[in-house]
Amino acid sequence: MLLGAAGAGAGLALGGTSAASAAPSTAADTPPFDFDKGNAAEEVLGPFAGPVVVTAVGQGDATLIIRWAHMLELSWFDAIAPYHPTAVGIYTQLPRRPRAEAETNRNKNIAILYASYHAFNSILPQHNQTWRAMLQSVGLDPADGSTDPSTPVGIGNLAGKGVAAFREHDGMNQLGDYGGQVYNRRPYSDYTGYRPKNTAYDLIDASRWQPAIVTKGNGIFQVQQFVTPQLQHVAPLSFTDLEEVRAPIPTASNHRNKAAYKKQVDDILATSAGLTDKQKMIAEFFDNKFESLGIAVGQAIQNAGLGLDAWVHLHAVVETATWDAATAIWWNKNVYDAVRPFSAIRHVYQGRTVTAWGGPGKGTVRDLPAEQWRSYLPVPDHPEYPSGSTSLCTAQAQAARRFLGTDQVQFRYERKAGSSVIEPGVTPRQDLVLSWDTWTDWLHDCGMSRYYGGVHFLPAIRASWDIGRKIGDHAYEFVQRHINGEAVLRTRR
């Protein structure tokens, strides 16, 4: 995924083999790319894309990360479909090429790179010079605008432009031109007119989402905005009826349901008070979408030893799953507009003290004013219910394990003593290893990480496990139909 390139420097969602913070290697210190045997998405794109993506979007900005990954990696699928015995593109269906043209990876790699060039120029056009350099680094001409579907350059150009043309006006307001706006466009700006029921300063309705006041510790404080609420209007790719994935009503988040509401609050406080180093590291790991989602797919690919075709197909499966999960969860968030734990805690215990984690390096304290309680993780900028992160992990896991035919994933993630982002130098107290043997274990900990982090109540996590599994199944079956040549061209609804 895009996550893998940014978090681990290997393609986009490659699950990573090297750090993305380094600049792209030059021709002088790396061997030339092998078009016949190599994987251009992994070996060529990653070093260029990783640093750009990391600086362009935050590690928790799920809706944009997932969107960009989906556009990029579905362009790969369409770019190599003409070289596959049966596959048909998802956004752009091009004529099949003779089998002899697919005997090596050469034509596929060329098509992938040109498709990526156009997808990147749609996603991050301000970095056009980087994308030009990406092509030039392997001897390709970014000015070659051929649309000849009998050549790999033409196929790649058509595939990349096809994804961009579909997605630029899919309801997400990617170009900031919704309603015909010509001047001073603001990409991805809300056009729905969403207004929170509460202000950052007054909790008027304790059942509804309240924007938090956030800071990076630099003296600048900002009031949150619901990020991309218009995603509710973007149609999912692999299924049609959003009612199928409507979450149950979060009755315990209704402040008039006093006993259940208070129990949710008390459960969060108890978890906050009892946080272990392992729970804190799990929370931090899954909060970083570049690391967590990208590493999971990358390790699964490494374990399976996939060739280029299957490698691209798996990415198409998981990116369809995570994109559709994001659209479904954002639709639900708009439906329920539910309160976050920090607001509920202040509502229940206003003017009193609570026992909880007292902030970085403070451990558990028993005299914390409720108004000063904060979640271990930064509070996200959207309503609480259901959990976006949980649904993304679950949809990804379900789609991947069906594609790979196994629940086994088996990987380890080491954290050095004091390496915490939230509590640097303090947590963990000693070197710690996070490990998962199955996708089932992985998606469980992903969901619980939001609970440990204090940003979600348990019902939001449970609902998202259910939604994510359904969407993972839909995504796998949808992409598999395209691999088998049983699908028809996608049209915008």
Side-chain angles (χ1 to χ4, degrees):
M1 314 163 74
L2 184 63
L3 318 172
L12 294 189
L14 314 179
T17 56
S18 60
S21 57
S25 299
T26 65
D29 55 23
T30 58
F33 173 66
D34 187 341
F35 276 93
D36 291 320
K37 297 180 181 179
N39 180 328
E42 184 169 17
E43 299 170 55
V44 180
L45 270 63
F48 284 90
V52 170
V53 173
V54 165
T55 58
V57 69
Q59 66 182 32
D61 295 333
T63 60
L64 293 187
I65 293 171
I66 296 302
R67 177 183 181 80
W68 295 355
H70 177 85
M71 288 177 63
L72 180 70
E73 295 171 33
L74 271 290
S75 81
W76 302 344
F77 184 94
D78 287 6
I80 70 167
Y83 299 106
H84 189 272
T86 59
V88 294
I90 293 173
Y91 289 103
T92 307
Q93 293 184 357
L94 302 171
R96 197 165 312 285
R97 300 305 303 152
R99 182 175 299 178
E101 294 184 15
E103 289 179 352
T104 73
N105 288 347
R106 174 168 294 272
N107 291 320
K108 298 172 191 175
N109 278 322
I110 293 171
I112 283 172
L113 286 172
Y114 276 95
S116 300
Y117 175 73
H118 290 288
F120 275 136
N121 275 318
S122 173
I123 295 165
L124 293 165
Q126 66 272 35
H127 294 282
N128 172 258
Q129 290 305 311
T130 298
W131 316 137
R132 290 178 60 84
M134 176 186 70
L135 292 184
Q136 291 168 339
S137 73
V138 289
L140 299 179
D141 181 6
D144 190 341
S146 171
T147 55
D148 181 352
S150 69
T151 68
V153 174
I155 289 170
N157 285 334
L158 290 168
K161 289 180 178 179
V163 171
F166 186 96
R167 284 293 164 200
E168 285 177 353
H169 291 99
D170 65 354
M172 193 68 164
N173 199 19
Q174 177 179 323
L175 304 182
D177 61 351
Y178 181 84
Q181 184 164 338
V182 176
Y183 305 109
N184 299 315
R185 292 176 176 176
R186 294 186 294 174
Y188 303 106
S189 57
D190 176 34
Y191 56 82
T192 67
Y194 174 86
R195 296 290 184 274
K197 296 296 182 183
N198 301 298
T199 72
Y201 309 98
D202 295 299
L203 187 65
I204 299 164
D205 184 339
S207 303
R208 306 292 287 273
W209 180 62
Q210 179 183 34
I213 300 173
V214 296
T215 180
K216 295 180 180 179
N218 57 0
I220 297 173
F221 295 82
Q222 297 174 316
V223 174
Q224 289 179 331
Q225 305 261 330
F226 185 174
V227 63
T228 60
Q230 70 272 19
L231 181 54
Q232 66 175 305
H233 295 311
V234 180
L237 194 63
S238 63
F239 66 101
T240 57
D241 186 6
L242 282 166
E243 288 292 341
E244 179 186 348
V245 291
R246 182 189 284 269
I249 297 171
T251 54
S253 293
N254 183 342
H255 71 280
R256 294 181 178 82
N257 188 358
K258 293 183 179 180
Y261 190 93
K262 183 177 183 297
K263 184 179 185 308
Q264 277 199 152
V265 163
D266 289 343
D267 287 346
I268 284 284
L269 288 173
T271 300
S272 174
L275 282 175
T276 66
D277 281 4
K278 183 176 181 180
Q279 289 173 333
K280 290 176 180 178
M281 291 301 93
I282 287 174
E284 289 189 27
F285 174 72
F286 283 103
D287 196 47
N288 186 332
K289 304 304 182 292
F290 293 135
E291 286 187 338
S292 57
L293 297 180
I295 284 175
V297 173
Q299 187 63 55
I301 286 172
Q302 184 175 326
N303 293 345
L306 302 182
L308 183 59
D309 280 20
W311 187 95
V312 168
H313 292 168
L314 174 59
H315 282 90
V317 165
V318 297
E319 292 307 336
T320 298
T322 53
W323 173 243
D324 281 0
T327 63
I329 294 301
W330 251 245
W331 178 74
N332 274 285
K333 284 181 181 292
N334 275 276
V335 169
Y336 296 114
D337 196 39
V339 64
R340 287 274 177 187
F342 83 92
S343 301
I345 287 169
R346 294 172 185 178
H347 175 69
V348 171
Y349 287 103
Q350 184 176 15
R352 290 185 280 173
T353 59
V354 297
T355 298
W357 176 69
K362 299 294 185 181
T364 300
V365 299
R366 300 181 181 281
D367 59 348
L368 178 67
E371 291 78 10
Q372 294 178 23
W373 182 89
R374 80 171 231 196
S375 52
Y376 182 78
L377 291 176
V379 61
D381 49 2
H382 43 80
E384 188 267 345
Y385 184 87
S387 166
S389 294
T390 304
S391 72
L392 296 178
C393 287
T394 307
Q396 179 194 66
Q398 181 67 5
R401 64 186 170 194
R402 286 200 62 186
F403 182 88
L404 295 168
T406 179
D407 191 42
Q408 301 301 308
V409 64
Q410 295 180 335
F411 68 90
R412 295 158 54 88
Y413 186 74
E414 297 181 1
R415 297 303 303 264
K416 295 294 185 182
S419 63
S420 166
V421 175
I422 306 297
E423 297 186 307
V426 175
T427 302
R429 288 182 291 275
Q430 57 189 10
D431 293 354
L432 183 149
V433 176
L434 305 179
S435 63
W436 296 269
D437 293 330
T438 64
W439 285 111
T440 299
D441 296 338
W442 167 265
L443 66 89
H444 174 270
D445 278 4
C446 178
M448 292 305 295
S449 74
R450 311 307 283 170
Y451 188 59
Y452 303 151
V455 295
H456 278 294
F457 297 116
L458 277 176
I461 295 162
R462 294 184 181 122
S464 296
W465 278 329
D466 184 49
I467 291 170
R469 289 188 189 97
K470 290 178 182 177
I471 292 176
D473 285 333
H474 282 310
Y476 166 75
E477 291 158 7
F478 172 83
V479 175
Q480 197 62 53
R481 288 195 298 272
H482 283 80
I483 294 171
N484 296 337
E486 300 166 351
V488 296
L489 183 63
R490 176 77 174 173
T491 57
R492 185 182 291 110
R493 293 202 301 272

